[in-house]
Amino acid sequence: MNKFFLLMIVVVMVPKSSGLIDHFHVKRDHRPYFFFENFGLLTGGKIFIKASNVLIDGQELTSFNESDFPEGKGLGFYIKIANIDASKELAKYRKTNGPCILSTPPKSDELKYNLSTTNNTQSFQYVVEFEEMEGSYNIFFVNCHKYTVSMMLEVTQYNVDAHGLNYLSAGEAGLPTLYDFLVVAYFMIVLVWTIGYLRIQREYVNKMHIFMTVVLFLKGLSLFCIAGFYQSIKKTGHSSGWNIPYYIFAVSQGIMLFVVILLIGAGYSFIKPYLIDRDKKIFVVVVPLQIIANVALVIVDEGSPGSKTLSTWSTVWQIVDFICCGVILIHFALSLKHLRESSTSDGKAARSISKIKLFRKFYFVVLSYIYFTRIVVVFLKSALPYRAEWLTTFFTEAATLLFYSFTGYKFRPRDQSPYFNLEETSEINSEDSSLVKLGDSIGSLSL
C-alpha cells in the first residue's frame, strides 16, 4: 500500500497547468481539430492567444506559401461563443461533411483566425466590448488538412472588475467566497467534534472515530489550499504553488473517506474488532483501484486540455471509480439478503439484525451521495449557464457537508450507542457456532 501513496505524492508534485494564463505544447498532432480551453468573458474581458515555433510536417510555417493551404488555409483557431459549455461543437459540425469551418464567414457567435505563413510567431486577441458578446468562449485549434502540427501556445484570459484584472472565469467568480466559507465551516466542525465528542466522551472513542477525525482535518486542509488557489488565480492568473498541497490533501482525504466508509460497512470497531477474509479481499481490490483512479484524475486535471489522451484517460478512470462503487454496493445488497435469510431461521440472530437495520440508513445515504456526486452533478454542470458554473461546486460541497454531518452524528461516541456492542459479537462467537457464520456476513457488509 505504501507504494501507492508514494506514487500519489510523486505525480501531484509534477503539475502541468499554471492557471488562467496557460501554456500548451502541441507535439506532432494531426487531428482535424481539438478543444483546449473555455472561459466565461464579460464586458471588458479579454482573450489573448499566442502561437510560436509553429512546425508543419516538421518544417517551419514560414517555409510555406499561401497557395500551399487550399480553402483559405484551414489552419488556425476557431472560437465558439455560447451560454453553456460548447466543447463538443465541432464534433457536430464535422458530421455534416461541409467545407472547412475556417473557410466560411464567421457568424455573430463565432471568431475565426487563420495562421499566416509570413511569421513563425503569431498572436490573436479579442476584447468583449458589448454586453451582447458576453458568454462562454470555447477555443479550438482547427487543422482541416490534417497536417502534422507542432507549436507552443500561450492563452491568457481575464475579466475586469472594480479591483482591476480578474483571471477567473465569469462562472468561477463566486468560488473564492464559497471556499472561504467552507474553510471556516469545516474547522468549526472539527472543533466541535474534537472538543464536544472526542474529549468529553473520550471513554467511548474507538479507532473509527480517530479515522473520521483525520478525514475532517484533511478535508479542511484541502479546502484551505483550494481557497488559496482560487485567490491566487483571481489576482495573478497563476496557482502560485497552491495546487500542489491541494492535490496531496484532496487525494489523501478522498482515499481516507473511502476507507472509513468501507470500515463502517464492515462493522469494524462498531460490531466487531476485526476484519474477516472477505473484508480484506475487498480492501485489497477496491482501495488500490480507488488510489489509482484518484491519482489518474489528478493527472488528467493537470494535463493540457488539448492532449490526445486526455478524454480517454478521464473516461477510463471514471469508469474504474464507478466499478469500485458498484462492486461494494452489490456486495452490500447480497449481504443484507443473507442476513434476512439468517434472521428467519435463528432467534438469537434477531438482536444482531436489529442493529444492522440501523446501518441501512447509512448505506442509503452513501448510495444517494455517490449517485448525486457521480451522476447528477455531471448533468447539472453541462446544463448550467456559464455564469452559474460555480453552483456545481456549491451543490457538490453541500452534499459532502451533509454526508459528513450525518455520518458523524450517527456514529458519534456516546453511552449506550446502538452501534457499539463488541461484547455481543464476542458472545455470539463463543456461544453459538451458527452465529459465527452470521458474524462473517455482517463483517462482509461494505458500502
Side-chain angles (χ1 to χ4, degrees):
M1 186 68 70
N2 291 335
K3 293 181 179 179
F4 284 105
F5 282 101
L6 179 59
L7 172 64
M8 176 190 70
I9 294 173
V10 170
V11 297
V12 298
M13 291 297 287
V14 191
K16 180 75 173 82
S17 176
S18 59
L20 272 303
I21 300 177
D22 287 326
H23 297 83
F24 308 98
H25 188 189
V26 181
K27 297 180 179 179
R28 296 180 294 278
D29 199 310
H30 60 271
R31 288 175 291 172
Y33 67 89
F34 60 84
F35 167 82
F36 63 88
E37 193 68 271
N38 64 0
F39 192 86
L41 285 175
L42 304 177
T43 304
K46 181 179 179 180
I47 180 172
F48 174 82
I49 302 174
K50 180 181 178 181
S52 59
N53 300 325
V54 183
L55 299 178
I56 307 297
D57 291 337
Q59 303 178 52
E60 291 188 357
L61 183 60
T62 53
S63 64
F64 290 84
N65 298 317
E66 297 291 332
S67 59
D68 296 326
F69 297 91
E71 297 184 19
K73 292 190 277 295
L75 186 70
F77 300 97
Y78 170 79
I79 301 176
K80 176 68 175 179
I81 308 170
N83 191 46
I84 59 175
D85 180 6
S87 58
K88 307 298 182 182
E89 179 70 20
L90 287 190
K92 301 176 184 177
Y93 179 84
R94 283 193 54 83
K95 292 180 181 179
T96 63
N97 295 320
C100 178
I101 196 169
L102 291 179
S103 64
T104 59
K107 300 177 182 179
S108 60
D109 60 349
E110 295 178 335
L111 298 175
K112 300 179 181 182
Y113 180 78
N114 280 285
L115 291 178
S116 171
T117 59
T118 59
N119 199 323
N120 208 41
T121 299
Q122 300 172 53
S123 61
F124 164 75
Q125 65 180 16
Y126 178 79
V127 179
V128 180
E129 298 180 349
F130 307 101
E131 186 176 345
E132 292 75 13
M133 295 303 293
E134 294 181 346
S136 177
Y137 282 65
N138 300 266
I139 309 173
F140 300 83
F141 181 77
V142 178
N143 178 11
C144 289
H145 308 296
K146 298 184 180 180
Y147 296 112
T148 301
V149 180
S150 299
M151 61 181 167
M152 295 296 298
L153 286 176
E154 178 184 338
V155 181
T156 302
Q157 301 166 103
Y158 58 80
N159 287 300
V160 179
D161 57 23
H163 304 287
L165 301 186
N166 183 343
Y167 287 92
L168 289 177
S169 172
E172 298 176 334
L175 289 182
T177 302
L178 173 62
Y179 281 120
D180 288 343
F181 169 78
L182 288 171
V183 169
V184 175
Y186 270 94
F187 279 107
M188 288 296 294
I189 291 173
V190 170
L191 190 64
V192 171
W193 173 260
T194 304
I195 298 178
Y197 292 113
L198 297 189
R199 183 177 178 181
I200 296 178
Q201 303 288 342
R202 57 180 174 270
E203 62 268 28
Y204 307 111
V205 173
N206 59 42
K207 294 178 181 178
M208 283 305 307
H209 296 125
I210 303 301
F211 294 154
M212 293 162 72
T213 306
V214 172
V215 172
L216 283 176
F217 269 111
L218 290 173
K219 180 64 177 178
L221 289 172
S222 68
L223 287 171
F224 176 77
C225 293
I226 195 65
F229 172 86
Y230 275 103
Q231 290 289 355
S232 180
I233 289 289
K234 179 180 179 179
K235 296 176 182 178
T236 68
H238 296 281
S239 63
S240 301
W242 281 102
N243 55 336
I244 297 175
Y246 165 70
Y247 284 125
I248 293 175
F249 292 130
V251 173
S252 300
Q253 178 266 330
I255 294 169
M256 276 299 300
L257 174 63
F258 207 85
V259 169
V260 167
I261 292 173
L262 281 173
L263 289 174
I264 292 177
Y268 180 71
S269 287
F270 295 115
I271 295 178
K272 60 183 185 302
Y274 58 88
L275 293 176
I276 64 172
D277 289 340
R278 293 181 190 176
D279 303 329
K280 294 176 182 178
K281 289 177 181 178
I282 291 176
F283 272 86
V284 168
V285 174
V286 175
V287 173
L289 284 177
Q290 273 293 306
I291 294 173
I292 296 172
N294 276 276
V295 171
L297 289 175
V298 170
I299 298 173
V300 168
D301 188 45
E302 284 293 285
S304 299
S307 172
K308 297 179 182 179
T309 59
L310 184 71
S311 60
T312 302
W313 276 106
S314 179
T315 301
V316 167
W317 291 113
Q318 285 175 0
I319 290 174
V320 171
D321 186 58
F322 275 114
I323 290 174
C324 292
C325 295
V327 168
I328 294 172
L329 291 172
I330 291 172
H331 181 73
F332 159 65
L334 293 175
S335 298
L336 277 181
K337 179 182 178 182
H338 178 74
L339 286 173
R340 282 193 295 267
E341 292 173 351
S342 300
S343 65
T344 60
S345 60
D346 199 323
K348 292 183 179 181
R351 289 179 297 177
S352 294
I353 296 300
S354 64
K355 182 185 297 186
I356 298 304
K357 287 180 179 179
L358 297 175
F359 275 77
R360 287 179 178 173
K361 292 182 180 179
F362 172 70
Y363 292 115
F364 175 76
V365 170
V366 171
L367 178 60
S368 301
Y369 176 70
I370 291 174
Y371 178 78
F372 185 82
T373 56
R374 262 72 169 183
I375 300 175
V376 175
V377 167
V378 174
F379 287 104
L380 186 66
K381 183 178 181 180
S382 62
L384 284 173
Y386 74 98
R387 285 176 178 265
E389 289 177 356
W390 66 275
L391 287 176
T392 302
T393 302
F394 171 79
F395 287 125
T396 302
E397 293 296 342
T400 302
L401 183 59
L402 288 174
F403 175 69
Y404 282 15
S405 300
F406 173 85
T407 305
Y409 179 77
K410 286 294 183 180
F411 295 95
R412 67 192 185 277
R414 59 191 173 107
D415 186 20
Q416 297 180 347
S417 170
Y419 302 103
F420 307 159
N421 195 358
L422 300 179
E423 293 78 15
E424 181 178 321
T425 302
S426 271
E427 232 178 74
I428 292 173
N429 286 336
S430 61
E431 292 181 1
D432 196 323
S433 60
S434 65
L435 291 185
V436 173
K437 182 178 181 180
L438 175 62
D440 290 343
S441 299
I442 294 173
S444 67
L445 285 176
S446 300
L447 169 60

